[in-house]
Amino acid sequence: RKRELTEQRMADAMRQAQMIVQVRGNVRNRIIPWSDDLTLAGALVEADYVGRMDPLSVTVTRARKVTRFSAARLLSGGDMFLQPGDVIDIHR
């Protein structure tokens, strides 16, 4: 019974971990709840960047594939929908 509970807790934790997007860098909010309409731009706003200087680029890692966005690309409307488990890195 104890092992069964432990396995259930692990499964629950894995499901919860998959329903978020993680943001790494100078931000106030490192964990963003995922939703069907969450975009990179929306996640960056929710993360609340607090760095002294503007970021140079942002990368999104999904299943070991990295997609890079320059600041200029983001400011000119470049965006993408995010998936649960994506990791965003803000580079300075």
Side-chain angles (χ1 to χ4, degrees):
R1 176 83 178 131
K2 187 175 183 179
R3 180 178 176 177
E4 204 175 285
L5 286 174
T6 301
E7 288 175 356
Q8 182 63 43
R9 285 186 187 132
M10 287 176 55
D12 290 344
M14 288 177 67
R15 273 193 293 279
Q16 280 186 325
Q18 292 173 352
M19 298 307 290
I20 62 158
V21 171
Q22 181 181 357
V23 182
R24 299 187 294 203
N26 289 330
V27 296
R28 284 196 175 102
N29 306 310
R30 296 183 180 278
I31 303 297
I32 307 299
W34 178 81
S35 64
D36 286 333
D37 60 349
L38 183 63
T39 63
L40 175 58
L44 291 172
V45 169
E46 286 188 47
D48 194 14
Y49 180 73
V50 293
R52 287 183 151 164
M53 301 176 78
D54 291 340
L56 296 175
S57 66
V58 172
T59 56
V60 177
T61 304
R62 176 182 298 157
R64 296 188 186 146
K65 181 178 185 251
V66 177
T67 304
R68 180 175 289 274
F69 288 80
S70 67
R73 180 177 172 190
L74 284 168
L75 291 172
S76 66
D79 205 353
M80 69 183 280
F81 283 99
L82 298 176
Q83 293 182 0
D86 284 352
V87 177
I88 301 168
D89 286 290
I90 300 174
H91 305 277
R92 178 63 214 139

